[in-house]
Amino acid sequence: MHSLQTLPFSNSFAALPDVFYSRVAPTPFQTKPTLIHFNAKAAALLDLDPAVQHDPRFVEVFSGNHKLPGMDPIAMLYAGHQFGHYVPQLGDGRAILLGETTNARGEKWEIQLKGSGLTPYSRDADGRAVLRSSIREYLCSEAMHGLGIPTTRALCLVGSEDEVHRERIETGAMLTRLAPSHVRFGSFEVLYYREQLDHLRLLADYVIARHYPDLAEKPDRYPCFLQTVVERTARLLAQWQAVGFAHGVMNTDNMSILGLTLDYGPYGFMEAYQPGLICNHSDHHGRYAFDKQSRIGLFNLSCLAQTLLPLIEVDAAKAALDSYSARFTEHYQRLMAQKLGFEDVNPRMPALLKELLDQMQQSRVDYTLLFRALGEVERDGGQAITPLRDKFVDRARFDRWLADYRACLRTDAQSDGARGQAMRSVNPKYVLRNYLAQMVIEKAERGDYAEIDRLLTILHAPFEDHPSMTQYADPPPDGARQIEVSCSS
């Protein structure tokens, strides 16, 4: 296990030409920083001894006050399509990549401070993040990992008394984020539109060599690279849809080249089922509504494919993009079959699923709780299902659906017990509902950080029952249904 002094640092991205980034040091807080939370599970990815959280230098390092040997801080350059419109220069306006480390398993992890002050890409912003948004990202990146969805991770959260002006005056915070790479679709876009084609090739080679090494020696490595990103993105979007997660701001600069969930802002988990859920109140036209996420994934991949045309043939790019919809559907149907308790995609499953979702929308049934409850259904109808049935307005319609569902279950070889156990392993009891995140934020703003630990206990293991914490599975109380979230951070 490493101490702070033995944690090995390098920065392979900083070894590339400076056209890809700007060297810039974090801006320390003006007031004394405090460690709000340390995530031992993320620290284990770095082989970092959990005892380092008690080292006074720890908070200094991860608030930008102290640089460890080997750190080479940079802000990465990228562009992006934001709400469908190309913005020629974005970049890390409030994030600084400190460097990377390699653990004993050979895994490479970049370490980035978010909320670390001004960079050349801050535009008119202040480079800071507030406690509110930092807590939301801290919790959700760990929640997504607990659900088995590829994501960035969160090592620690540092707070301050520094005033940060948003819609109101808030306190500043820094989140330490981990990822194998923070390269985005927009990292390629900025080079393509600036016609820096040699650097475009260099970036592609760098990403392939470090993250897709099985492609590195192939003569057709660039088309294979695009195809792999298409596959990873299709799988990621299917996982989002299956668990009821809405990202809220799927700009190309928020899309990971590795197929990770990246940049948690105005996200939301589905509660009462509404396929048109818009979780970002700044998304006035619903571009990033829940039921549009898969097609936005294809749009974003099309933007990426455009940037790679100097390296691949048009037909190869089209072939990769043409595979997206089928791959997304394949992944989504497999995941939903598992949620319904089928070992394979039953031919009757798509129609069965559509009818269930239609009824859930009509009756505004809670998405997470409904699928969790289905694990208790017996295929031969021996169990009373009144609590489940009572969730629906049109109970006769639900009765017909339940009869069809049980008929499908009877064609499956699994016993009720085995199927129920399998369904509980894919249908979480707990998700990060907005009111839960808001509860943590309000307590933290009063200096009480204990709720972070309590909530992470269930978010790290959301499929388990946690009998003493069942209140965290409840739908939002009436007063908490109107929580609005925007890109403000």
Side-chain angles (χ1 to χ4, degrees):
M1 300 293 284
H2 288 298
S3 66
L4 280 178
Q5 286 65 42
T6 64
L7 186 64
F9 264 99
S10 61
N11 196 334
S12 62
F13 200 83
L16 295 171
D18 60 8
V19 70
F20 296 104
Y21 58 83
S22 295
R23 278 194 166 83
V24 57
T27 304
F29 290 124
Q30 295 179 352
T31 59
K32 183 176 176 60
T34 58
L35 181 61
I36 290 174
H37 198 269
F38 175 84
N39 183 6
K41 290 184 180 295
L45 299 172
L46 311 180
D47 298 333
L48 194 58
D49 188 336
V52 299
Q53 63 184 297
H54 305 299
D55 184 334
R57 290 166 294 187
F58 183 84
V59 73
E60 296 296 312
V61 169
F62 295 106
S63 62
N65 281 323
H66 179 70
K67 189 168 74 170
L68 293 175
M71 284 184 175
D72 190 359
I74 60 171
M76 300 171 71
L77 171 68
Y78 43 86
H81 279 79
Q82 297 198 321
F83 289 89
H85 303 287
Y86 181 67
V87 180
Q89 179 171 303
L90 296 166
D92 288 332
R94 57 191 175 98
I96 291 177
L97 181 65
L98 299 177
E100 65 190 37
T101 190
T102 304
N103 64 24
R105 297 177 297 281
E107 299 166 341
K108 299 181 186 300
W109 289 95
E110 291 183 349
I111 302 176
Q112 185 188 71
L113 291 183
K114 190 168 182 180
S116 48
L118 290 171
T119 79
Y121 315 119
S122 297
R123 293 176 284 174
D124 295 327
D126 57 14
R128 290 301 190 193
V130 298
L131 180 62
R132 163 181 50 87
S133 65
S134 300
I135 286 176
R136 282 180 57 82
E137 176 156 354
Y138 192 83
L139 292 174
C140 199
S141 57
E142 294 304 295
M144 293 293 269
H145 174 71
L147 292 165
I149 298 175
T151 178
T152 57
R153 299 294 302 277
L155 174 64
C156 65
L157 186 61
V158 173
S160 76
E161 294 301 317
D162 286 22
E163 290 187 350
V164 180
H165 293 255
R166 295 296 183 261
E167 287 90 348
R168 58 185 173 89
I169 296 177
E170 303 183 56
T171 55
M174 284 192 208
L175 167 75
T176 300
R177 182 163 69 180
L178 310 179
S181 174
H182 289 85
V183 173
R184 308 139 185 274
F185 289 11
S187 305
F188 289 85
E189 287 184 282
V190 69
L191 301 171
Y192 173 79
Y193 287 104
R194 290 183 178 184
E195 299 183 353
Q196 295 173 318
L197 303 187
D198 289 341
H199 290 115
L200 177 70
R201 182 184 297 272
L202 180 59
L203 180 60
D205 287 341
Y206 168 84
V207 172
I208 290 170
R210 289 186 67 80
H211 305 292
Y212 300 100
D214 55 317
L215 307 180
E217 301 303 320
K218 291 188 175 185
D220 58 346
R221 62 185 179 277
Y222 301 125
C224 290
F225 168 54
L226 176 59
Q227 181 65 61
T228 305
V229 178
V230 168
E231 165 64 27
R232 288 196 179 192
T233 304
R235 183 187 301 117
L236 177 69
L237 268 292
Q239 290 176 291
W240 286 3
Q241 298 301 117
V243 81
F245 175 76
H247 185 279
V249 58
M250 287 179 62
N251 298 329
T252 57
D253 54 292
N254 293 337
M255 296 293 291
S256 162
I257 203 67
L258 301 185
L260 308 174
T261 312
L262 177 69
D263 286 341
Y264 293 93
Y267 63 80
F269 283 89
M270 186 74 72
E271 291 176 336
Y273 183 69
Q274 45 179 322
L277 171 69
I278 302 169
C279 60
N280 177 359
H281 80 77
S282 302
D283 185 6
H284 304 296
H285 301 290
R287 176 180 176 83
Y288 297 136
F290 175 76
D291 58 359
K292 294 180 181 177
Q293 289 187 136
S294 64
R295 76 179 76 166
I296 293 297
L298 179 57
F299 172 86
N300 290 343
L301 286 164
S302 301
C303 294
L304 176 65
Q306 176 75 32
T307 73
L308 295 178
L309 288 181
L311 307 179
I312 64 179
E313 298 292 333
V314 171
D315 288 346
K318 287 182 176 178
L321 294 174
D322 287 346
S323 71
Y324 171 82
S325 294
R327 298 300 289 150
F328 169 82
T329 300
E330 177 185 339
H331 288 302
Y332 178 72
Q333 289 193 348
R334 176 180 53 80
L335 291 170
M336 297 309 291
Q338 292 173 353
K339 288 176 74 69
L340 286 168
F342 301 117
E343 291 185 291
D344 298 304
V345 178
N346 188 303
R348 296 165 61 185
M349 190 278 293
L352 196 70
L353 175 63
K354 182 181 184 304
E355 172 63 13
L356 176 62
L357 294 177
D358 285 349
Q359 291 193 42
M360 289 170 65
Q361 181 181 5
Q362 177 191 41
S363 300
R364 298 186 61 79
V365 176
D366 188 274
Y367 184 86
T368 299
L369 296 182
L370 185 282
F371 278 98
R372 183 76 173 189
L374 284 180
E376 304 301 319
V377 171
E378 295 179 354
R379 61 185 178 183
D380 292 320
Q383 177 193 14
I385 49 90
T386 300
L388 184 61
R389 184 175 184 262
D390 286 349
K391 296 178 184 296
F392 294 87
V393 173
D394 189 339
R395 290 169 187 167
R397 184 182 177 187
F398 176 73
D399 288 342
R400 292 191 295 271
W401 180 87
L402 184 63
D404 290 342
Y405 178 50
R406 282 175 162 156
C408 284
L409 292 180
R410 287 192 288 271
T411 68
D412 198 281
Q414 293 186 101
S415 67
D416 285 336
R419 185 185 63 259
Q421 184 176 357
M423 290 176 71
R424 286 188 292 274
S425 72
V426 296
N427 289 314
K429 182 173 181 176
Y430 304 95
V431 292
L432 182 58
R433 299 172 183 271
N434 268 337
Y435 85 92
L436 295 176
Q438 186 62 28
M439 174 183 65
V440 174
I441 290 165
E442 290 175 1
K443 289 187 176 183
E445 289 178 335
R446 297 193 297 268
D448 178 2
Y449 308 128
E451 196 65 40
I452 298 176
D453 257 338
R454 284 193 286 270
L455 198 52
L456 283 180
T457 297
I458 59 170
L459 296 179
H460 280 146
F463 303 101
E464 297 178 13
D465 277 329
H466 303 285
S468 65
M469 305 180 77
T470 56
Q471 70 273 21
Y472 292 97
D474 292 342
D478 289 340
R481 294 180 188 276
Q482 302 303 317
I483 294 174
E484 292 188 337
V485 185
S486 71
C487 297
S488 170
S489 60

